[in-house]
């Protein structure tokens, strides 16, 4: 889509309050508990609840890649563009296998995404996504904190933890918990979610996983797809950023439709995160976010 840039303003990446967070000050060192399966944190009694040190001993950039292939002109131009933009720090939230998380992580390694995943947040510590993160050396945080549980962070402490990693953007990839208002406000226009339908259809509380695809087929809809949207205080109601359409076939099962949608999710999420990290998200005056084309800065979608 081609449009004039008049009336457009850049997104929050250059002025977000989380770009240069203050380093937490610790009153006393925290205590770490580790095992073959997990590393988690318990604060000492004199340790401020506002100063959470993440369960990680490795804060280095893990996603360094050296390219050896010959570059064409377009590759060089792309590298020049990326060299002018700071690599973004990403946090990913998952509740299950984390296939979208994995595709984004691979994209950070191969250079498709100009950013690094610094931490994974999950409400299910032993889910597939969390296991994959630990194998790859990515710190894992349990959230939200369950009642009477030693493990897990409160919303307040999670925000401090994310800021200690200087997280720029939060990516929800199959996270089944409602994001607290405090976190939404702490990261304005900086939290994305992917949903397996064409929102606003088949979205909201209770619409997740296979339930979405069964509802689509039962409705008789001829098309479904994937939607990436900004996160607000409610389920699936934030501003839509990108969509990918998938046909619903006459003899589709929920499983077949889910597989076809998920295939498109993986590609779409990587494309959107790439644009996010390259600061190509533009906000129209009426509050609609658009993605600026990499090839032509006057084209948007």
């Amino acid at each position: 889509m081609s449009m004039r840039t008049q009336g457009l303003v850049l997104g929050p990446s250059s002025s977000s309050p989380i770009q240069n967070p203050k380093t937490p000050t610790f009153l006393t060192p925290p205590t770490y508990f580790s095992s073959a399966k997990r590393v988690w944190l318990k604060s000492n009694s004199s340790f401020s609840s506002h100063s959470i040190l993440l369960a990680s001993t490795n804060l280095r950039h893990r996603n360094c890649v050296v390219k050896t292939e010959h570059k064409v002109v377009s590759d060089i131009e792309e590298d020049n563009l990326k060299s002018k933009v700071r690599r973004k720090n990403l946090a990913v939230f998952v509740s299950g296998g984390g296939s979208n998380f994995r595709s984004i992580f691979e994209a950070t390694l191969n250079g498709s995404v100009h950013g690094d995943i610094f931490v994974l947040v999950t409400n299910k510590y032993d889910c597939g996504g969390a296991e994959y993160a630990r194998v790859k050396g990515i710190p894992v945080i349990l959230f939200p904190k369950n009642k009477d549980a030693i493990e897990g962070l409160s919303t307040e402490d999670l925000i401090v933890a994310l800021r200690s990693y200087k997280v720029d953007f939060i990516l929800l990839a199959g996270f089944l918990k409602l994001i607290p208002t405090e976190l939404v406000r702490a990261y304005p226009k900086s939290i994305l979610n992917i949903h397996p339908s064409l929102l606003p259809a088949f979205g909201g509380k209770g619409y997740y996983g296979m339930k979405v695809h069964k509802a689509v087929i039962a409705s008789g809809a001829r098309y479904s797809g994937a939607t990436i949207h900004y996160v607000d205080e409610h389920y699936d109601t934030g501003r839509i950023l990108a969509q990918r359409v998938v046909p619903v076939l006459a003899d589709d099962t929920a499983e077949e439709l889910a597989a076809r949608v998920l295939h498109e999710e993986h590609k779409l999420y990587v494309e959107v995160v790439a644009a996010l990290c390259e600061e190509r998200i533009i906000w129209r005056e009426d509050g609609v976010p658009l993605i600026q084309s990499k090839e032509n800065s006057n084209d948007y979608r």
Side-chain angles (χ1 to χ4, degrees):
M1 159 172 81
S2 179
M3 60 179 292
R4 294 183 302 171
T5 56
Q6 183 178 5
L8 298 178
V9 295
L10 290 175
S13 57
S14 59
S15 60
S16 171
I18 66 168
Q19 294 295 321
N20 296 294
K22 296 181 179 179
T23 302
T25 301
F26 301 100
L27 301 183
T28 59
T31 302
Y32 286 92
F33 298 80
S34 63
S35 68
K37 290 186 176 180
R38 65 182 67 184
V39 178
W40 50 281
L41 169 69
K42 179 180 179 181
S43 301
N44 296 329
S45 58
S46 59
F47 183 65
S48 169
S49 63
H50 296 279
S51 305
I52 295 295
L53 179 63
L54 298 189
S56 170
T57 59
N58 181 9
L59 298 183
R60 65 185 177 87
H61 288 279
R62 296 171 297 277
N63 301 351
C64 297
V65 177
V66 178
K67 294 185 178 181
T68 58
E69 69 272 19
H70 295 290
K71 293 179 178 293
V72 297
V73 175
S74 60
D75 292 330
I76 296 174
E77 291 175 347
E78 180 177 338
D79 285 348
N80 288 337
L81 171 63
K82 290 181 178 179
S83 68
K84 298 177 183 179
V85 178
R86 177 180 59 81
R87 287 185 72 88
K88 300 302 187 290
N89 297 354
L90 309 173
V92 181
F93 286 39
V94 305
S95 293
S99 64
N100 274 302
F101 155 55
R102 299 180 192 210
S103 66
I104 294 170
F105 176 71
E106 290 299 324
T108 66
L109 295 182
N110 65 32
S112 299
V113 168
H114 192 56
D116 300 286
I117 298 176
F118 271 71
V119 63
L120 181 126
V121 177
T122 181
N123 63 311
K124 297 181 179 179
Y125 209 97
D126 294 323
C127 69
E131 293 291 349
Y132 181 83
R134 284 191 285 273
V135 169
K136 297 300 182 179
I138 300 172
V140 174
I141 292 177
L142 184 64
F143 173 83
K145 182 178 177 66
N146 297 321
K147 293 181 180 179
D148 303 321
I150 299 176
E151 303 178 41
L153 298 185
S154 65
T155 300
E156 182 181 57
D157 289 338
L158 175 63
I159 293 171
V160 173
L162 294 174
R163 284 178 170 167
S164 75
Y165 276 113
K166 299 184 179 180
V167 167
D168 297 293
F169 300 108
I170 296 171
L171 310 173
L172 309 188
F175 188 68
L176 301 181
K177 293 290 185 179
L178 184 65
I179 299 301
T181 299
E182 297 86 349
L183 183 56
V184 174
R185 292 176 179 174
Y187 283 84
K189 294 182 178 179
S190 299
I191 307 176
L192 290 181
N193 180 51
I194 190 161
H195 184 78
S197 76
L198 296 176
L199 293 176
F202 308 104
K205 187 175 182 179
Y207 278 96
Y208 62 88
M210 207 59 65
K211 294 181 179 180
V212 174
H213 306 297
K214 289 180 179 178
V216 169
I217 292 174
S219 74
R222 275 21 178 203
Y223 294 94
S224 188
T227 299
I228 295 177
H229 65 94
Y230 281 91
V231 173
D232 58 17
E233 293 83 356
H234 309 286
Y235 285 109
D236 304 327
T237 59
R239 288 288 192 173
I240 292 173
L241 178 59
Q243 292 182 311
R244 188 68 53 83
V245 176
V246 169
V248 180
L249 306 181
D251 58 349
D252 257 342
T253 65
E255 290 75 16
E256 290 169 337
L257 178 58
R260 204 155 55 250
V261 171
L262 185 61
H263 179 73
E264 295 302 322
E265 285 184 33
H266 292 165
K267 295 188 293 183
L268 182 62
Y269 218 167
V270 168
E271 292 173 11
V272 170
V273 175
L276 192 69
C277 292
E278 293 168 17
E279 301 180 3
R280 291 189 286 111
I281 307 300
I282 306 298
W283 288 81
R284 215 165 59 189
E285 282 188 342
D286 60 358
V288 173
L290 303 171
I291 297 176
Q292 188 178 49
S293 169
K294 184 185 298 186
E295 292 75 23
N296 186 345
S297 60
N298 291 321
D299 287 343
Y300 301 87
R301 63 180 179 88

